[in-house]
Short mmCIF file of all heavy atoms in Angstrom, two decimals:
data_model
loop_
_atom_site.label_atom_id
_atom_site.label_comp_id
_atom_site.label_asym_id
_atom_site.label_seq_id
_atom_site.Cartn_x
_atom_site.Cartn_y
_atom_site.Cartn_z
N ASN F 996 -11.21 11.10 -11.16
CA ASN F 996 -11.64 12.41 -10.70
C ASN F 996 -12.08 12.36 -9.26
O ASN F 996 -12.05 11.27 -8.63
CB ASN F 996 -12.78 12.97 -11.58
CG ASN F 996 -13.99 12.05 -11.57
OD1 ASN F 996 -14.41 11.58 -10.51
ND2 ASN F 996 -14.56 11.78 -12.73
N ASP F 997 -12.45 13.48 -8.67
CA ASP F 997 -12.76 13.55 -7.28
C ASP F 997 -13.92 12.63 -6.88
O ASP F 997 -14.00 12.18 -5.73
CB ASP F 997 -13.09 14.97 -6.84
CG ASP F 997 -11.87 15.89 -6.90
OD1 ASP F 997 -10.75 15.33 -6.89
OD2 ASP F 997 -12.02 17.12 -6.92
N PHE F 998 -14.82 12.36 -7.81
CA PHE F 998 -15.97 11.53 -7.49
C PHE F 998 -15.63 10.06 -7.47
O PHE F 998 -16.39 9.22 -7.04
CB PHE F 998 -17.10 11.81 -8.50
CG PHE F 998 -17.61 13.21 -8.43
CD1 PHE F 998 -17.25 14.18 -9.38
CD2 PHE F 998 -18.48 13.59 -7.42
CE1 PHE F 998 -17.69 15.46 -9.32
CE2 PHE F 998 -18.96 14.90 -7.35
CZ PHE F 998 -18.57 15.85 -8.28
N GLU F 999 -14.48 9.69 -7.99
CA GLU F 999 -14.09 8.27 -8.10
C GLU F 999 -13.00 7.88 -7.11
O GLU F 999 -12.61 6.72 -7.07
CB GLU F 999 -13.61 7.99 -9.53
CG GLU F 999 -14.65 8.15 -10.59
CD GLU F 999 -14.11 8.01 -11.99
OE1 GLU F 999 -12.92 8.36 -12.20
OE2 GLU F 999 -14.83 7.53 -12.88
N LYS F 1000 -12.57 8.83 -6.32
CA LYS F 1000 -11.48 8.54 -5.39
C LYS F 1000 -11.91 7.50 -4.33
O LYS F 1000 -13.01 7.58 -3.79
CB LYS F 1000 -11.02 9.79 -4.71
CG LYS F 1000 -10.22 10.75 -5.61
CD LYS F 1000 -9.72 11.97 -4.83
CE LYS F 1000 -8.89 12.87 -5.72
NZ LYS F 1000 -8.45 14.10 -5.00
N LYS F 1001 -11.04 6.55 -4.11
CA LYS F 1001 -11.30 5.59 -3.06
C LYS F 1001 -10.19 5.64 -2.03
O LYS F 1001 -9.04 5.89 -2.33
CB LYS F 1001 -11.37 4.17 -3.65
CG LYS F 1001 -12.65 3.86 -4.43
CD LYS F 1001 -12.71 2.42 -4.86
CE LYS F 1001 -14.09 2.07 -5.42
NZ LYS F 1001 -14.32 2.79 -6.67
N TYR F 1002 -10.56 5.41 -0.80
CA TYR F 1002 -9.58 5.46 0.29
C TYR F 1002 -9.62 4.15 1.03
O TYR F 1002 -10.63 3.45 1.13
CB TYR F 1002 -9.94 6.59 1.28
CG TYR F 1002 -9.76 7.99 0.69
CD1 TYR F 1002 -10.75 8.55 -0.12
CD2 TYR F 1002 -8.60 8.71 0.92
CE1 TYR F 1002 -10.57 9.81 -0.68
CE2 TYR F 1002 -8.41 9.99 0.35
CZ TYR F 1002 -9.42 10.52 -0.44
OH TYR F 1002 -9.26 11.77 -0.98
N ILE F 1003 -8.50 3.80 1.63
CA ILE F 1003 -8.42 2.67 2.53
C ILE F 1003 -7.76 3.13 3.81
O ILE F 1003 -6.99 4.10 3.84
CB ILE F 1003 -7.64 1.49 1.93
CG1 ILE F 1003 -6.24 1.95 1.45
CG2 ILE F 1003 -8.41 0.82 0.81
CD1 ILE F 1003 -5.36 0.82 0.93
N ARG F 1004 -8.08 2.41 4.90
CA ARG F 1004 -7.44 2.71 6.18
C ARG F 1004 -6.35 1.64 6.38
O ARG F 1004 -6.61 0.45 6.35
CB ARG F 1004 -8.45 2.66 7.30
CG ARG F 1004 -7.90 3.03 8.68
CD ARG F 1004 -9.02 3.28 9.66
NE ARG F 1004 -9.73 4.52 9.38
CZ ARG F 1004 -9.30 5.74 9.80
NH1 ARG F 1004 -8.21 5.83 10.56
NH2 ARG F 1004 -10.01 6.78 9.51
N VAL F 1005 -5.12 2.12 6.59
CA VAL F 1005 -3.98 1.23 6.75
C VAL F 1005 -3.31 1.47 8.10
O VAL F 1005 -3.45 2.54 8.66
CB VAL F 1005 -2.97 1.40 5.57
CG1 VAL F 1005 -3.63 1.14 4.25
CG2 VAL F 1005 -2.31 2.76 5.63
N SER F 1006 -2.54 0.47 8.51
CA SER F 1006 -1.76 0.67 9.72
C SER F 1006 -0.31 0.88 9.44
O SER F 1006 0.42 1.55 10.22
CB SER F 1006 -1.93 -0.56 10.64
OG SER F 1006 -1.48 -1.75 10.02
N HIS F 1007 0.14 0.37 8.29
CA HIS F 1007 1.60 0.39 8.01
C HIS F 1007 1.84 0.00 6.61
O HIS F 1007 1.04 -0.72 5.96
CB HIS F 1007 2.33 -0.59 8.98
CG HIS F 1007 3.81 -0.46 9.00
ND1 HIS F 1007 4.48 0.54 9.65
CD2 HIS F 1007 4.76 -1.26 8.41
CE1 HIS F 1007 5.77 0.37 9.48
NE2 HIS F 1007 5.99 -0.69 8.74
N TYR F 1008 2.97 0.43 6.06
CA TYR F 1008 3.43 -0.10 4.79
C TYR F 1008 4.97 -0.14 4.81
O TYR F 1008 5.65 0.59 5.57
CB TYR F 1008 2.94 0.73 3.60
CG TYR F 1008 3.54 2.11 3.49
CD1 TYR F 1008 4.75 2.33 2.84
CD2 TYR F 1008 2.88 3.23 4.02
CE1 TYR F 1008 5.33 3.60 2.77
CE2 TYR F 1008 3.41 4.50 3.94
CZ TYR F 1008 4.62 4.65 3.32
OH TYR F 1008 5.17 5.93 3.23
N GLU F 1009 5.50 -1.04 4.05
CA GLU F 1009 6.95 -1.18 3.91
C GLU F 1009 7.30 -1.23 2.42
O GLU F 1009 6.70 -1.98 1.69
CB GLU F 1009 7.47 -2.47 4.57
CG GLU F 1009 7.55 -2.39 6.08
CD GLU F 1009 8.65 -1.46 6.58
OE1 GLU F 1009 9.66 -1.29 5.86
OE2 GLU F 1009 8.47 -0.90 7.68
N ARG F 1010 8.29 -0.43 2.02
CA ARG F 1010 8.68 -0.43 0.63
C ARG F 1010 9.53 -1.61 0.22
O ARG F 1010 9.64 -1.91 -0.97
CB ARG F 1010 9.47 0.88 0.30
CG ARG F 1010 8.62 2.13 0.41
CD ARG F 1010 9.43 3.35 0.01
NE ARG F 1010 8.67 4.58 0.16
CZ ARG F 1010 7.92 5.13 -0.80
NH1 ARG F 1010 7.83 4.47 -1.95
NH2 ARG F 1010 7.27 6.24 -0.61
N SER F 1011 10.10 -2.32 1.21
CA SER F 1011 10.94 -3.43 0.86
C SER F 1011 10.97 -4.48 1.99
O SER F 1011 11.34 -4.14 3.14
CB SER F 1011 12.42 -2.93 0.60
OG SER F 1011 13.29 -4.01 0.41
N THR F 1012 10.54 -5.69 1.69
CA THR F 1012 10.63 -6.79 2.63
C THR F 1012 10.84 -8.08 1.85
O THR F 1012 10.30 -8.23 0.75
CB THR F 1012 9.41 -6.89 3.56
OG1 THR F 1012 9.55 -8.02 4.41
CG2 THR F 1012 8.14 -7.05 2.74
N ARG F 1013 11.51 -9.02 2.47
CA ARG F 1013 11.75 -10.31 1.86
C ARG F 1013 11.17 -11.47 2.68
O ARG F 1013 11.51 -12.63 2.43
CB ARG F 1013 13.25 -10.52 1.64
CG ARG F 1013 13.86 -9.62 0.57
CD ARG F 1013 15.33 -9.93 0.32
NE ARG F 1013 15.83 -9.15 -0.76
CZ ARG F 1013 15.76 -9.47 -2.08
NH1 ARG F 1013 15.20 -10.60 -2.42
NH2 ARG F 1013 16.27 -8.69 -3.03
N VAL F 1014 10.30 -11.15 3.59
CA VAL F 1014 9.78 -12.23 4.50
C VAL F 1014 8.29 -12.43 4.35
O VAL F 1014 7.72 -13.27 5.09
CB VAL F 1014 10.15 -11.94 5.98
CG1 VAL F 1014 11.64 -11.89 6.14
CG2 VAL F 1014 9.50 -10.63 6.47
N LEU F 1015 7.62 -11.76 3.46
CA LEU F 1015 6.18 -11.87 3.27
C LEU F 1015 5.85 -12.18 1.83
O LEU F 1015 5.07 -11.47 1.20
CB LEU F 1015 5.44 -10.61 3.73
CG LEU F 1015 5.07 -10.55 5.22
CD1 LEU F 1015 4.34 -9.25 5.53
CD2 LEU F 1015 4.20 -11.73 5.64
N GLY F 1016 6.45 -13.22 1.32
CA GLY F 1016 6.22 -13.61 -0.05
C GLY F 1016 7.50 -13.73 -0.84
O GLY F 1016 8.60 -13.40 -0.35
N PRO F 1017 7.42 -14.22 -2.05
CA PRO F 1017 8.61 -14.45 -2.91
C PRO F 1017 9.31 -13.16 -3.26
O PRO F 1017 8.68 -12.17 -3.67
CB PRO F 1017 8.04 -15.12 -4.14
CG PRO F 1017 6.69 -15.68 -3.73
CD PRO F 1017 6.18 -14.72 -2.71
N GLY F 1018 10.63 -13.14 -3.12
CA GLY F 1018 11.42 -12.01 -3.58
C GLY F 1018 11.25 -10.76 -2.71
O GLY F 1018 10.72 -10.77 -1.62
N ASN F 1019 11.75 -9.66 -3.27
CA ASN F 1019 11.65 -8.36 -2.59
C ASN F 1019 10.29 -7.75 -2.88
O ASN F 1019 9.91 -7.63 -4.06
CB ASN F 1019 12.79 -7.46 -3.07
CG ASN F 1019 12.91 -6.20 -2.21
OD1 ASN F 1019 12.71 -6.21 -1.02
ND2 ASN F 1019 13.18 -5.09 -2.86
N ARG F 1020 9.60 -7.28 -1.84
CA ARG F 1020 8.19 -6.89 -2.01
C ARG F 1020 7.82 -5.59 -1.28
O ARG F 1020 8.42 -5.29 -0.24
CB ARG F 1020 7.26 -8.01 -1.50
CG ARG F 1020 7.61 -9.40 -2.01
CD ARG F 1020 6.64 -10.46 -1.56
NE ARG F 1020 5.35 -10.32 -2.17
CZ ARG F 1020 5.06 -10.70 -3.41
NH1 ARG F 1020 5.99 -11.25 -4.16
NH2 ARG F 1020 3.84 -10.56 -3.90
N PHE F 1021 6.87 -4.90 -1.85
CA PHE F 1021 6.20 -3.79 -1.16
C PHE F 1021 5.08 -4.47 -0.36
O PHE F 1021 4.32 -5.30 -0.88
CB PHE F 1021 5.59 -2.79 -2.15
CG PHE F 1021 5.05 -1.54 -1.55
CD1 PHE F 1021 5.74 -0.37 -1.74
CD2 PHE F 1021 3.87 -1.53 -0.85
CE1 PHE F 1021 5.24 0.83 -1.21
CE2 PHE F 1021 3.37 -0.38 -0.31
CZ PHE F 1021 4.06 0.81 -0.47
N ALA F 1022 4.95 -4.11 0.93
CA ALA F 1022 3.90 -4.72 1.76
C ALA F 1022 3.06 -3.61 2.41
O ALA F 1022 3.59 -2.58 2.82
CB ALA F 1022 4.51 -5.58 2.86
#
């Protein structure tokens, strides 16, 4: 609910990468 919402501040995200861990990853 609205009282439990948590937010984070991010700079970027990628839906698919293969260079930051095993296999195809969300980063």
Side-chain angles (χ1 to χ4, degrees):
N996 60 44
D997 290 342
F998 296 102
E999 297 174 328
K1000 287 183 178 179
K1001 286 187 172 65
Y1002 293 81
I1003 54 175
R1004 184 167 288 274
V1005 303
S1006 61
H1007 190 77
Y1008 68 85
E1009 284 290 332
R1010 293 183 182 272
S1011 175
T1012 178
R1013 292 185 174 274
V1014 298
L1015 272 180
N1019 190 37
R1020 311 182 69 77
F1021 189 108

